[in-house]
Amino acid sequence: MGSGGPRLAGCVALHVVTGPRRGCAAAAMAGSPEAAEEEAVAAAAQGREPPAGGGARSGKRTATAGAGALQPAKLSRAELYKPPTSEELSRLKETEDLFHSSLLRLQIEELLKEVTLKETKKKKIDAFLHEINSLLSAMPETPETELTDQAWLPKGVKVPFLQVPFSVKGRFRFLPPAELKVVGSYLLGTCIKPEINVDVAVTMPREIFQDKDNLNQRYHRKRALYLAHIAQHFSKEKLFGSVKFAYMNSNHLKPILLLRPQGKDEKMVTVRLHACPVPGLFKPSRFYPSKNNVRTAWFMEQSTPKEGATEPPTPHYNNSILCDTVLLSHLHFLSSAAADFPGMKDGLALLKVWLNQRQLSKGFGCFSGFLVSMLVAYLLMKRKIVKMMSGYQVLRSTLQFLATTDLSVTGINLAKDVDASLPVLDDFHQAFEVVFVDPSGLVNLCADMTASKYHQVQFEAKRSMEILDDRMVDGFQALLMTTKPMLRAFDHVFHLKHVSKLQGACKKMQLLNELMDRGGNYVAAALPFVASLLARGLAGRALLVTHSLPQIPEWPIDAEPPKHKDVGPLMFGLLFVPEFAASVLEKGPQADHPEALDFRTFWGEKSELRRFQDGSICEAVVWEADTVCQKRLIPEQIVRHLLKLHMDIPESSICYTGALLESVIRTGQEASGTGEEAMVSVVCSYDDLSRKLWNLKGLPLTVTAVQGVHPALRYTDVFPPIPMKPIYSFHTRIRTKHLLLPSEEKPCPAYVAPLKIICHMEGSGQWPQDKEAIKRIKAAFHLQLAELLQQQHQLVCRPAVTHTDVYKDGYVFRLQVAYHREPLILKEVVTPEGMLKYQDTEESRQLELETLHLPYLTSSLHGLQQQHPVFGSTCRLAKRWVSAQLLSDNISEECVDLLVAFLFLHPAPFTPPSSPQVGFLRFLDLLATFDWKNNPLIVNLNAGLTDADCTEIKNKFVAARSRLPVMFIATPKDQWSSMWTQERPSAQILQRLLVLSSESLRALEEQLMDPLNSQDVKMVFRPPLDFYDVLIHLNPNQIPRHLESVDRPLKSFSRGVVKNSAAVKILFPVVDYDPVQCYLQELRVSMALWGGTGDYLPKGELPSGIQDAFSDLALFFYDKHGGEVIAVLWKPLSFQPQPFKVSSMKGRMVTTLNNELVCVPNVEAILEDFEVLGEGLVKSVEARTEKWTI
């Protein structure tokens, strides 16, 4: 649960199911209508751990319901009907009133058990604190010296403070602390694992201070020296495993000392020492937000102050001193709020988990656990929360408040009776971006937070409320169990590589006063300005512009304190409004309006006067972008332009990662975009063809529907077809048939993909009722369609028995006639008694898939693309990755399309992706973390499933798990059969996919998060080959899609076509011709006949059962997009010696083992066969392993 750490342990909510009947829990279950399901699904909903080992396979596609798979709970009849006890009844009532469902209640209780401190740990921590106390009181004093004379400090410790400028008045001596108090969440019982921090306030005695210590960082330096002296003594003690310095919330003015125990308990707890002044040392009125406590002359190191210059207020500096004075009063305030309010403790634990998962709770200006505790206390004070509430209701009420209240506009105040002399909220609003005043009326708890960070918290709270109210989403999983790293939460991110460039920005923006106020910290001074500049420039395009929180790691006490630039690269995240993100025009005010000047200064020379269609003449900015993928990057142009213009930040310091991955789906040699335009032109051509088919004259039956099924027609084809016409000299012609054949001397011609279209013919009594007769009628229709299209529209057609190919606009469309009753007729079976009955046959299933399910899926996904413009590109990236990992034959394209559709339809806790890159990252995350063993993936296309349907699918899934495919995807039209994953992937392939996806995700996020290195994102598209036994290297000039490979070859072969052009009359090339696929087909099949009959039969005439026969020796893997290698994996079982039988001698040779004749695979001969079969295509066969030596 650390910021990017693993998900919370998978055991959350698992004991609910596996334990014996637990009185109240079971009753809580029994009471709700979903009772039966919830007990079974409770665990399923949780363990988003990748399923361990795929499990053995029994039969063709069943995963064993063994380890890890859930079984419905079985109770005896007596137990099932036992009346609930009074305790159970009261708990039921409570669940009904206070929680959404009993499942949610159980999940939350398990989570709280996970994160709260155990009693044994508390005892150890208390003992550790007592020892620290006794050590501190026995510390030796030091003689008084000037503040600048630090020679008394031993060599082994450096002052944990950036002393710039160094010279300062004042004297310092060390005296033992006046008192020690534990403050913060540990005493309240609200600190949560994994990081247990105990805050201890060390009160510095009055004698070490002088008048005017409030000025010019004197107080801060005394505080740092005080801690340095303690650190130096503690470093010699055996009690501590480590003694280190850190900045409190990464604020440079506030060093603290971190102490960890010795030995194996070192990870258990971190004690943080905060030095603070004795009460009443300073007059509060000196630190009002409008007062100055840092003198310009001192800060600028000038000898005399300028005449008549007024000193600027230093609110942040003042606030940092005030914070130290109120540590104890805050503790008393919180403990009175938490008294007899058990729900507060639970609610705070949940809120902290919520903040941690969103990376909001650490760093400079974070929304810390302390802040959220104060907020809950405020809501209690305002009666928005009452002490009766459960932790879940505290969570809801707090999120509701955050979602609806903008603290950057209307601040809130915890002070009860407002003293007239205290500053009012408006004073705070002038000094700070976000305002939340503490009970003393002096301290702004949100002083360091930027408005943009608060808006992110607000946005997250709104989104979380939507998720909690949505019955279709597992709110617990989305809100509390899923981490939201910036890379996966934002559509585009960019890094400011060199933070030191912000020094120049401060100069350019004249932020001297802010720098004085922040103790010279230029990152903190410039950040709010950078954020608001970007928010203004991207207004309308972006829902949210936010930045990562600068974090400075702890450091050893003998090292110099970290400089401002040590926060590392700053990261910014942009979340887009999909409709406007890519607009090329930024329209400004009319030229004669006073705002026009402001617009011009904001946009610089990019702004120009333009005349619009309505006659108005306005200022406007037009961005250069031709293709869709360039338009997606207009925000990058805006960011670079504005930061250069207003902040002097050079482009080389900005590392923008919005579209780094898109290079792998680029089409063509020249960077002409990522194929969206090509896809649109395919769809236009198809629309035109379907209109022509509707209006054909002279058909005996009319066409009732035309439906596309090719991936290009739903915008998800990895490389969309490009219009082309063949060059005759590259082919041999068959004049009589008007056909072209590939020429043997020339490289293999370009791949022509047939775009399949289903043509539904109207029903009529004339259709025969016999399946063979229907096939003949369909063949006649194919001939007639070709004839009529040629006559009426002059299209070149090539009819065949099962389809007609049509050449139009440079594409080849493959028409296939369908008759709606044919699947039914294929299902007819006559029993021996002469009864007619219907049952699914392989043939009928295949036909239904092609003519009903695939067209429906294609039109649904086509609709999804209209709603989410980046859906298609995300699918294409996902499929390109699956193919690059050599697994495209083992998982269907439709299956990947549905996985990606899930990300757009059910994005919680995120928003739907608005850039292909973030979509792809989430795709990898979904593959790696979804619990395939215990959960169906429900893709609710066109919102066709209700809440009840989903519950029913889950129930049936749990009951029938062992008979279902390992990867189960349910859609509204296919709720029970998961047709797209019936045959593949197998359990082993799914396991391989999980490993590859989690590794790829890790590697890719590492690359994208490290802007200082070269970001080679193609790395995750290069498959690891050391896993395979044999590599068959191919000859590139026989690979028709060679140009589609991940690392595009430098020189390519002319493929005998003119691209991007269409002819009216052509001779027909061979469609769908890819020698590598033919070779793979032959390998998979011929090994069946290896050493058998010796005669090869064409694919269609193979005796049934032989298709899979080679699969008992090896598996073949290939990247169909231009891969140059076929990888072969021997099947271990086929290498076990078999007893000698003449019938089973295919591909085997006889040897003797223990004086018995046995057969083993004849590997040398098989490898030679690979070469013989692939003559002209295979360059070499490389045997990588010696696994077959038996």
Side-chain angles (χ1 to χ4, degrees), residues 723-857:
M724 42 178 119
K725 62 173 195 217
I727 303 171
Y728 294 170
S729 62
F730 272 73
H731 299 75
T732 44
R733 290 185 224 191
I734 305 182
R735 275 288 162 89
T736 51
K737 299 250 181 89
H738 297 292
L739 298 178
L740 297 176
L741 286 181
S743 149
E744 285 190 18
E745 297 80 56
K746 297 276 174 31
C748 165
Y751 179 71
V752 181
L755 299 157
K756 195 160 161 193
I757 295 177
I758 304 289
C759 257
H760 289 271
M761 293 301 192
E762 67 177 331
S764 142
Q766 304 292 310
W767 280 98
Q769 298 302 307
D770 171 70
K771 58 182 180 183
E772 288 309 315
I774 290 179
K775 282 184 186 158
R776 290 189 169 76
I777 297 273
K778 278 163 63 177
F781 266 119
H782 290 134
L783 285 164
Q784 187 155 19
L785 279 173
E787 204 176 306
L788 293 175
L789 283 169
Q790 221 143 3
Q791 282 171 14
Q792 293 173 26
H793 300 290
Q794 290 75 52
L795 294 172
V796 183
C797 300
R798 181 162 174 267
V801 177
T802 52
H803 59 263
T804 285
D805 284 342
V806 181
Y807 176 82
K808 176 178 187 298
D809 305 330
Y811 304 111
V812 174
F813 291 97
R814 176 161 285 182
L815 305 182
Q816 182 178 330
V817 167
Y819 165 48
H820 67 98
R821 289 207 54 227
E822 188 182 4
L824 198 64
I825 291 163
L826 288 176
K827 288 180 188 178
E828 287 177 1
V829 182
V830 181
T831 61
E833 293 80 48
M835 296 284 290
L836 188 66
K837 69 171 193 179
Y838 292 95
Q839 66 185 45
D840 276 354
T841 61
E842 193 48 51
E843 204 179 356
S844 74
R845 237 194 295 215
Q846 195 50 40
L847 190 70
E848 277 189 331
L849 202 67
E850 281 183 5
T851 58
L852 291 174
H853 299 297
L854 201 49
Y856 169 74
L857 181 74

Side-chain angles (χ1 to χ4, degrees), residues 498-567:
H498 315 109
V499 191
S500 50
K501 292 281 184 283
L502 288 172
Q503 265 176 299
C506 288
K507 277 211 184 73
K508 172 114 182 179
M509 310 250 327
Q510 300 170 338
L511 300 181
L512 172 66
N513 296 353
E514 280 76 6
L515 275 175
M516 279 168 48
D517 189 15
R518 308 268 194 174
N521 184 350
Y522 49 82
V523 180
L527 195 54
F529 293 91
V530 177
S532 60
L533 175 79
L534 294 175
R536 180 178 167 187
L538 294 165
R541 292 172 194 272
L543 276 174
L544 194 59
V545 178
T546 191
H547 53 85
S548 62
L549 295 165
Q551 281 192 47
I552 294 188
E554 52 195 57
W555 69 96
I557 61 170
D558 56 356
E560 291 290 345
K563 307 275 191 298
H564 302 301
K565 64 170 190 293
D566 294 336
V567 294

